[in-house]
Amino acid sequence: MARRETPEINAGSMADIAFLLLIFFLVTTTMNVDSGISKKLSEKPPPDYKPPVIKEKNIFEVNINRNNDLLVEGEIMVIDDLKEAAVKFIDNGGGDGKPGEDGTPGLPCDYCEGERSPSSSDHPNKAIISVQSDRGTEYGTYIEVQNELLKAYTILRNRLSQQRYGILYTELEKRYKDSRGSDKEELKKKVEDIKTSFPQIISDAEPTSAN
Amino acid sequence: MSKFKKKKKGMPAVNTASLPDIVFMLLFFFMVTTTMRETSLQIEAPRLPSATEIKKLEHKSLVSTIYVGKAKDAKYGTAYNRIQLNDKIATPEDVPSFILRAREEVSEGEIPFMTTSIKADKESSVGTITDIRIKLRDVNALKLSYSTQTGADN
């Protein structure tokens, strides 16, 4: 009997095959991080709820019709101008702010740089942006409008943060999120301060139904 | 002299026989940890609108996603207003039960942190989104995120 030695299988290329598979999986799996415009809905009002009376001048009305055209404060506007108009409205500071919860009277806005026109908003914490859209409005346009309005707030917050703390608000917020150490409390105070100085008040009015 | 001679003998080849094992281990690790998308889309993948002022959604287990877009199945029409919850096409009336079911899966303390992410096509109409929003408010699911792409800053 001739004893033939079975030749050993060459496993040298096994690693290559495995690497190929590994790289394939690495490439095809996407780590998609879900991100978007976050929004906090208001709670459902009780049935006998009467909405508070708000002065006309403290409301910045944005209407979007079914053809995706914009009507801002009764005037037709293109979306590129919306941010500027919103900044002007929020930053106006024409009067006194909201009274404090303990009954202290509202103070005029000392950080506003607007025109202080009596016909526009009193104080950033009173300034309400109301977006009314048609049922037929395209979602893309709606998001674009929301985005422009948020941009306006970011501009103002960045400005105030730069003045008070010498750092942009976006940067400040990021630092607060990343911080683990002892300065977390301090950063939180700063973030809260800016947030309450320019609170985001964007309300969605019930859409007009056209169909 | 003999000391030098020894060095000339060439290095023994490194044994790479266990290399495949190491690589396979890596491979299995990746295969196990990467989660596949749990829901198959019944609507065409929504073309998300783009925005710049966006926030990342953290805690994936606390996010429930609602898709809005055009149904793949032609019997639902060609409008971009179909709602998909879990695996099937639904109506706004189904949203509350969808949210309640999602709540059962998390501990009570985490319920206030639950977020609903709406992934809607940019050609969807606001009316559909509003219907969903009203239903979400009914069940007190107040944290909402309109899913978008990261757009160019201008």
Side-chain angles (χ1 to χ4, degrees):
Chain A
M1 222 186 180
R3 276 186 61 198
R4 221 179 282 166
E5 267 182 51
T6 43
E8 221 176 283
I9 298 169
N10 184 12
S13 51
M14 182 80 120
D16 298 343
I17 297 168
F19 262 120
L20 202 84
L21 272 172
L22 177 65
I23 289 163
F24 173 76
F25 270 93
L26 275 176
V27 171
T28 52
T29 52
T30 48
M31 296 266 182
N32 63 340
V33 187
D34 200 354
S35 56
I37 293 178
S38 63
K39 198 125 221 230
K40 193 120 176 52
L41 300 180
S42 56
E43 269 174 53
K44 196 177 182 176
D48 56 346
Y49 176 76
K50 279 202 197 85
V53 183
I54 298 163
K55 273 189 229 157
E56 185 69 38
K57 64 175 192 168
N58 279 326
I59 301 179
F60 184 73
E61 214 175 299
V62 181
N63 281 295
I64 320 170
N65 76 357
R66 59 187 319 171
N67 301 321
N68 304 324
D69 299 324
L70 242 64
L71 189 74
V72 178
E73 294 277 66
E75 280 170 49
I76 294 169
M77 190 178 275
V78 286
I79 198 150
D80 297 333
D81 301 335
L82 179 62
K83 183 173 66 184
E84 230 165 276
V87 166
K88 216 170 147 193
F89 165 76
I90 302 162
D91 201 27
N92 181 55
D96 294 339
K98 245 197 223 157
E101 272 169 27
D102 47 353
T104 49
L107 299 165
C109 175
D110 52 1
Y111 47 84
C112 293
E113 292 173 8
E115 289 170 355
R116 304 192 184 272
S117 138
S119 60
S120 190
S121 81
D122 278 338
H123 192 278
N125 66 19
K126 272 186 176 175
I128 296 172
I129 296 180
S130 159
V131 181
Q132 181 164 51
S133 42
D134 191 272
R135 283 193 71 89
T137 306
E138 248 175 45
Y139 177 64
T141 313
Y142 172 78
I143 290 295
E144 223 176 304
V145 167
Q146 296 283 339
N147 194 40
E148 290 299 312
L149 295 174
L150 288 176
K151 259 190 210 163
Y153 278 110
T154 310
I155 289 172
L156 291 170
R157 285 177 170 182
N158 272 343
R159 194 190 70 198
L160 184 66
S161 181
Q162 187 81 58
Q163 281 169 2
R164 287 198 180 162
Y165 307 116
I167 178 173
L168 289 180
Y169 176 73
T170 37
E171 192 63 33
L172 184 72
E173 209 177 24
K174 210 162 90 193
R175 217 182 268 184
Y176 164 62
K177 254 189 193 155
D178 293 342
S179 113
R180 296 274 175 277
S182 52
D183 56 342
K184 184 133 185 156
E185 277 302 306
E186 197 192 332
L187 285 172
K188 186 181 178 178
K189 220 186 268 170
K190 286 181 183 176
V191 169
E192 288 297 322
D193 175 42
I194 304 290
K195 260 192 188 168
T196 46
S197 299
F198 283 114
Q200 281 176 357
I201 319 173
I202 302 177
S203 96
D204 283 289
E206 296 282 308
T208 49
S209 57
N211 33 358
Chain B
M1 246 345 211
S2 59
K3 267 187 187 172
F4 293 101
K5 265 197 175 171
K6 260 191 181 170
K7 284 225 165 171
K8 281 209 166 177
K9 252 196 167 175
M11 294 261 282
V14 180
N15 185 11
T16 56
S18 54
L19 192 58
D21 298 344
I22 297 167
V23 178
F24 266 117
M25 206 177 70
L26 269 174
L27 178 65
F28 286 138
F29 173 76
F30 273 96
M31 281 174 71
V32 171
T33 51
T34 52
T35 48
M36 292 279 147
R37 195 205 293 270
E38 325 85 46
T39 50
S40 56
L41 278 178
Q42 298 293 311
I43 58 167
E44 281 174 18
R47 298 161 299 163
L48 300 174
S50 52
T52 53
E53 308 297 310
I54 54 176
K55 286 197 179 107
K56 272 184 195 148
L57 278 179
E58 280 149 24
H59 310 297
K60 274 211 160 157
S61 57
L62 296 178
V63 176
S64 28
T65 311
I66 298 175
Y67 293 91
V68 181
K70 186 164 99 176
K72 277 179 186 162
D73 196 338
K75 76 174 174 190
Y76 292 109
T78 52
Y80 283 91
N81 290 324
R82 292 292 146 219
I83 301 166
Q84 181 187 345
L85 302 169
N86 291 328
D87 264 345
K88 51 185 182 297
I89 304 282
T91 59
E93 276 70 46
D94 301 325
V95 172
S97 64
F98 168 73
I99 295 295
L100 292 177
R101 214 168 309 142
R103 274 187 192 162
E104 281 170 14
E105 284 165 24
V106 300
S107 66
E108 206 165 313
E110 285 176 325
I111 287 178
F113 302 106
M114 287 184 73
T115 311
T116 317
S117 166
I118 295 186
K119 289 196 178 186
D121 193 280
K122 50 185 169 187
E123 275 187 47
S124 310
S125 66
V126 172
T128 318
I129 310 293
T130 312
D131 290 343
I132 297 174
R133 209 168 53 206
I134 288 168
K135 291 293 168 194
L136 286 177
R137 202 177 63 175
D138 284 351
V139 286
N140 234 21
L142 300 177
K143 281 185 82 168
L144 185 62
S145 165
Y146 297 117
S147 192
T148 57
Q149 292 172 342
T150 319
D153 210 347
N154 46 12

